Amino acid sequence: MPGTPKAEFLQSVREALGRENVPPIEAYPRLAETPSELEQQVAQMRQHIEDNLPALLDKLAKMAALGGWRVHRASRPEDVIEYIETLARDSGTANVVRSNQDVFNQIPLDATLTNLGLTVTTVLRDETTTRESLREEIRQSGIGITGADYALAETGSVIVLPRKGLARLISVVPPVHIALVRAEDLLETLDDLFLLRRLEYHQQGGEMGSYLNFITGPSRTADIEMTIVEGVHGPKEVHMIILG
Amino acid sequence: MPEIKTQDFTAASTAAILDPKLRRALDRVAEGFHVARLDRIEEVTQDVWDGWKDQAREIKVHTIENLDYYLELLDKNVTAAGGQLHFAKDADEANEIVAHIVRTRNIKIVTKSKSMVSEELGLNPVLEALGVEVWETDLGEYIIQLAEETPSHLVAPALHKSKEDVAALFTEKLGIPYDEDIYHMAATARTILRDKFMEADLGISGANFVVAETGTLVIITNEGNGRLCTSAPRVHIGITGMEKVIPSMQDLSAFLRLLPRSATGQRITSYVSMTTGPRRSDDEDGPEEFHLILVDNGRSKMLADPALREALYCIRCGACLNICPVYSRIGGHAYGWVYPGPIGAVVSPMLVGLPKAKELPQASSLCGACREVCPVNIDIPKMLLDLRKKTAESPDSSLRSAPEIERVLARLYAKLMSSPKLLKMGVKFGRFAQKLERMTPVFSPLTTDGKWIRNAHIPILSRWTKSRDLPTLPKQTFHELWEKELSPDDS
């Protein structure tokens, strides 16, 4: 493989810095934290969210709407299903793809969508379904429905992490994305999220998972004359349904 | 590296100033991005904003001062996540690493999300020479790729093109009927590129940040092309400058707050996509291979120079471009290389070599607006002055940007201004000369109100005076006024 060997490259950096000592003289406070310290911080953070849940859910709804989500709040699973039924009917699509996440046990919507005459594909690999066939199914779908690993009140973002049954492409390829958010998915700030992810990283023996995606509103561009166009490569229409 | 035209700055900027269409485009950016940015700061309050800036700067200072340590940590963790980290000392090496991957993995189609570093490396021609299809997928980048041009802004690469320009370009290159509806043009790009995302074997992205603790690459985008480039193809290569590393995931908070607000005035972009290694066995999709290429390409020269080191803190938000009175009149292309605007006037000379780019540090009124808007408090005017000093004091006369006579005059001016006696004499002489000039206006006429000397073609000084009106000397200087009427001794 071409390129400069690591040792040589680092040596040139050290020379530029006029620095011989490795590692830094002053330890970086964050990197020195132990998992139990992180756990304590996470417990405090969780408590804070629990104590302020209604206000934080309101904030999430407000920030999500500012970020371009069409926000719908529901108090019961039936309301969620009804709302999605309306969206699906109005969209005129024939195919819907959904992830295979826990949230769909709580909100079973396949039967309703099938009754509308739609084909519902669930992301589930088995003998007959390969990664290639899944990708094609996603491409043919007019709506992609996913849960949220987290929802961030600060930014109005949905956070998705890799897991079995959740393809990266569901939330970016179909022209409509619906994200289902439950009260327990709520975090307040970016700091909350990254603290939690760091703790999980260390708890899982240094495994971060292959991706972490923030989604905040529709795909958009302003590259021609600063005019905002939605749905340039990703979805044009994104719905956040908050249950709770 | 792409063609360097920094040496043509004077001619290119003069031509750009006279282009009314460019001016309109630049005004749109200034209004759009800059005003939205101010709104976002007001929303969070200046105090909070300043706190984020200090936090971000502190992280950058620490990381850059210990860059070797964090690069080593990053290497360890990219590898642990199943990815490969490559170090490239220059553009040729970086391009060769990509070429090697392309050849050995039988790559036929490449999709790219926006990467200024890949522009810096001149990667596309290298890939095309290998016979692969290369598709820029950011709408602005797609437009300039079709037009065979270079980006003119860090964030809005095609801002110099009007909708009519783009419509004509699409008609010419894509063979479609002329249609200047912006929504239709975006839809055309979507349709064409959607197929390419799915067919591509290799996705190339830049990186806004890379996290040493976890080996994570972070990209911040609005269109979703970044997510498609890093999710659909079987190989993902991230390319970025070695200065983009930050210690821990928690350090991202400050930057995710600052970057979108500073760049486009958004609270956050539509997508923030973080990638750590290739897909794992349980993942339903994602690339099989993950490579990260970190390039030096002149950055260690900045690192080695204490006066210019802080240029490496730059997060490429473009706020200094949007506010700059020079950039907003000449646009990005006049700067002659990949990085335009105030930060470009510092970075380009360091990356292409000061002799070729000695004019760029002069392209500033030193008003300080760039320093004020910088989300990591980079003192750009100070670095521009340092570069000016380096050009002025160089023993190599070809490096100096001013002719020898200007240097002599500057020294005389310094003498004059630091001696009250000489200054008094100078003013008297000046008034005399002014009287003579009024009787025989050989150099140039005064304005009708008699207060300004217009377009004075004063021989030696003409480079400076031809585009500036000079005030006439007053009947009384402040010194004279002070002595006569205001001095306390008078009373």
Side-chain angles (χ1 to χ4, degrees):
Chain A
M1 183 61 79
T4 299
K6 181 175 84 170
E8 194 182 310
F9 192 91
L10 294 181
Q11 189 52 38
S12 70
V13 171
R14 253 168 235 138
E15 276 164 21
L17 283 165
R19 193 180 118 85
E20 270 121 55
N21 54 306
V22 185
I25 316 167
E26 273 179 65
Y28 197 57
R30 277 182 174 140
L31 295 187
E33 282 165 336
T34 63
S36 72
E37 283 170 322
L38 292 173
E39 265 170 43
Q40 269 177 17
Q41 293 174 36
V42 167
Q44 275 174 17
M45 177 264 280
R46 288 283 186 203
Q47 188 61 48
H48 175 80
I49 292 170
E50 206 182 308
D51 296 343
N52 298 280
L53 193 59
L56 289 176
L57 282 171
D58 290 348
K59 186 174 178 195
L60 171 67
K62 182 185 148 204
M63 297 311 292
L66 284 173
W69 290 97
R70 304 179 191 195
V71 180
H72 180 77
R73 299 190 67 170
S75 48
R76 301 175 313 147
E78 296 79 32
D79 302 338
V80 178
I81 294 171
E82 200 179 304
Y83 184 72
I84 293 176
E85 187 184 7
T86 315
L87 288 178
R89 194 187 293 124
D90 295 349
S91 76
T93 184
N95 301 297
V96 174
V97 61
R98 73 160 175 86
S99 63
N100 193 17
Q101 289 168 279
D102 287 349
V103 65
F104 293 97
N105 297 329
Q106 204 175 331
I107 306 168
L109 42 75
D110 292 0
T112 309
L113 294 177
T114 312
N115 282 342
L116 283 176
L118 300 178
T119 308
V120 181
T121 304
T122 306
V123 176
L124 195 62
R125 262 184 299 132
D126 53 28
E127 292 83 42
T128 55
T129 326
T130 59
R131 286 198 171 90
E132 288 65 36
S133 65
L134 264 180
R135 179 199 281 225
E136 203 41 42
E137 296 276 7
I138 294 171
R139 224 190 144 178
Q140 299 309 323
S141 297
I143 301 179
I145 312 178
T146 67
D149 283 278
Y150 303 108
L152 273 195
E154 177 182 348
T155 56
S157 309
V158 161
I159 312 293
V160 282
L161 297 172
R163 55 183 71 246
K164 224 176 159 59
L166 175 63
R168 306 179 193 210
L169 295 180
I170 301 184
S171 54
V172 70
V173 167
V176 178
H177 174 214
I178 302 174
L180 305 178
V181 174
R182 296 164 302 176
E184 64 257 44
D185 305 327
L186 183 79
L187 295 175
E188 185 178 8
T189 65
L190 290 160
D191 307 287
D192 293 355
L193 173 72
F194 294 129
L195 168 66
L196 203 55
R197 288 305 293 153
R198 275 190 75 214
L199 174 63
E200 285 163 0
Y201 173 74
H202 291 296
Q203 283 173 338
Q204 291 159 5
E207 172 58 278
M208 195 65 202
S210 58
Y211 66 88
L212 184 158
N213 284 331
F214 283 64
I215 304 168
T216 317
S219 147
R220 59 197 130 195
T221 186
D223 276 349
I224 305 177
E225 293 200 351
M226 297 288 286
T227 302
I228 293 175
V229 181
E230 297 185 338
V232 58
H233 288 305
K236 187 185 174 83
E237 198 182 304
V238 293
H239 300 267
M240 181 192 285
I241 305 179
I242 305 173
L243 176 63
Chain B
M1 291 213 284
E3 197 190 343
I4 296 164
K5 297 181 202 153
T6 45
Q7 62 278 18
D8 305 329
F9 177 76
T10 310
S13 55
T14 308
I17 286 175
L18 300 171
D19 179 351
K21 215 176 72 189
L22 178 65
R23 189 63 184 274
R24 273 198 300 279
L26 291 164
D27 284 348
R28 260 197 300 271
V29 173
E31 269 170 44
F33 288 161
H34 176 61
V35 172
R37 177 185 161 277
L38 290 178
D39 288 347
R40 294 291 83 74
I41 296 174
E42 197 185 321
E43 195 174 81
V44 298
T45 75
Q46 188 72 47
D47 278 356
V48 169
W49 181 252
D50 291 343
W52 291 346
K53 280 165 67 172
D54 291 344
Q55 207 183 333
R57 184 175 174 95
E58 206 176 298
I59 294 164
K60 283 287 182 186
V61 171
H62 172 85
T63 319
I64 295 296
E65 290 305 315
N66 300 287
L67 189 60
D68 53 335
Y69 174 77
Y70 288 105
L71 290 176
E72 186 135 42
L73 187 63
L74 178 69
D75 179 63
K76 179 177 151 244
N77 290 316
V78 167
T79 310
Q84 267 181 275
L85 184 62
H86 310 271
F87 293 103
K89 70 172 186 298
D90 56 25
D92 287 345
E93 268 194 17
N95 292 339
E96 190 44 39
I97 294 166
V98 181
H100 179 83
I101 295 169
V102 163
R103 282 192 295 258
T104 51
R105 272 70 169 178
N106 193 27
I107 305 287
K108 303 279 182 233
I109 302 179
V110 178
T111 48
K112 288 180 70 201
S113 79
K114 191 169 157 296
S115 156
M116 292 307 286
V117 173
S118 88
E119 297 283 347
E120 171 189 329
L121 303 173
L123 177 61
N124 290 5
V126 174
L127 291 175
E128 281 156 8
L130 290 171
V132 298
E133 272 180 45
V134 185
W135 295 85
E136 291 289 349
T137 62
D138 171 88
L139 181 59
E141 290 276 344
Y142 177 65
I143 291 167
I144 60 168
Q145 186 187 26
L146 283 179
E148 296 170 39
E149 291 179 10
T150 54
S152 67
H153 188 281
L154 294 174
V155 175
L159 80 88
H160 57 285
K161 291 240 173 277
S162 67
K163 63 178 194 287
E164 293 82 8
D165 292 340
V166 180
L169 180 71
F170 278 18
T171 301
E172 184 201 331
K173 301 280 178 167
L174 307 175
I176 57 169
Y178 182 92
D179 179 355
E180 58 181 51
D181 182 295
I182 292 172
Y183 299 91
H184 295 169
M185 290 191 274
T188 300
R190 177 184 169 108
T191 308
I192 291 170
L193 293 171
R194 179 51 68 94
D195 287 338
K196 296 302 164 189
F197 285 125
M198 296 300 159
E199 292 167 13
D201 314 286
L202 167 63
I204 296 179
S205 75
N208 294 97
F209 308 98
V210 281
V211 180
E213 187 187 20
T214 55
T216 301
L217 174 153
V218 184
I219 56 174
I220 294 180
T221 65
N222 274 310
E223 295 186 3
N225 61 316
R227 285 186 64 198
L228 287 160
C229 283
T230 58
S231 299
R234 60 188 157 84
V235 181
H236 171 199
I237 302 178
I239 305 178
T240 196
M242 64 178 184
E243 78 281 13
K244 292 292 170 69
V245 64
I246 57 170
S248 119
M249 184 139 290
Q250 281 182 277
D251 294 315
L252 275 173
S253 304
F255 293 106
L256 292 187
R257 288 169 179 140
L258 289 166
L259 180 51
R261 287 178 171 90
S262 299
T264 56
Q266 288 174 282
R267 294 175 188 86
I268 192 158
T269 46
S270 299
Y271 307 107
V272 176
S273 310
M274 305 172 50
T275 308
T276 312
R279 74 162 182 243
R280 314 293 196 267
S281 57
D282 270 356
D283 291 6
E284 304 295 349
D285 52 8
E288 297 156 28
E289 274 185 59
F290 172 78
H291 299 266
L292 177 59
I293 303 173
L294 291 184
V295 298
D296 180 330
N297 202 33
R299 286 165 176 76
S300 51
K301 272 188 276 170
M302 276 189 262
L303 193 62
D305 188 332
L308 301 171
R309 188 175 285 178
E310 67 174 314
L312 294 170
Y313 306 161
C314 174
I315 57 174
R316 306 279 188 264
C317 68
C320 62
L321 278 58
N322 304 336
I323 194 91
C324 178
V326 177
Y327 177 89
S328 62
R329 278 157 188 80
I330 66 173
H333 285 157
Y335 289 82
W337 205 56
V338 182
Y339 300 106
I343 191 66
V346 176
V347 170
S348 294
M350 292 309 289
L351 299 189
V352 306
L354 195 50
K356 277 188 195 140
K358 62 184 180 185
E359 294 289 344
L360 294 188
Q362 310 291 335
S364 167
S365 65
L366 300 176
C367 71
C370 49
R371 177 179 49 212
E372 203 171 302
V373 298
C374 178
V376 280
N377 293 324
I378 299 175
D379 195 341
I380 297 176
K382 199 175 95 189
M383 291 191 289
L384 292 171
L385 277 174
D386 180 77
L387 287 167
R388 288 185 188 184
K389 190 164 164 249
K390 286 186 167 90
T391 55
E393 290 174 0
S394 167
D396 175 2
S397 64
S398 71
L399 187 62
R400 294 185 208 135
S401 57
E404 193 56 33
I405 187 73
E406 260 186 44
R407 297 158 57 80
V408 172
L409 283 172
R411 270 188 220 117
L412 285 175
Y413 182 72
K415 273 250 153 63
L416 183 76
M417 295 307 284
S418 52
S419 151
K421 216 184 230 167
L422 278 177
L423 182 61
K424 216 179 265 180
M425 280 167 58
V427 168
K428 277 189 185 141
F429 174 76
R431 276 206 211 102
F432 177 67
Q434 203 165 282
K435 243 180 230 166
L436 281 182
E437 193 265 346
R438 231 168 264 181
M439 288 187 282
T440 54
V442 274
F443 294 130
S444 76
L446 296 180
T447 54
T448 41
D449 61 8
K451 286 184 182 158
W452 296 89
I453 307 168
R454 180 163 282 176
N455 301 332
H457 291 293
I458 300 168
I460 303 159
L461 290 171
S462 65
R463 247 168 45 115
W464 196 78
T465 55
K466 71 181 173 193
S467 56
R468 290 173 176 86
D469 293 345
L470 298 177
T472 53
L473 287 165
K475 288 199 180 76
Q476 258 187 338
T477 64
F478 179 75
H479 270 138
E480 290 160 350
L481 195 66
W482 178 264
E483 273 167 23
K484 261 193 212 151
E485 295 175 25
L486 301 170
S487 163
D489 302 341
D490 236 26
S491 53

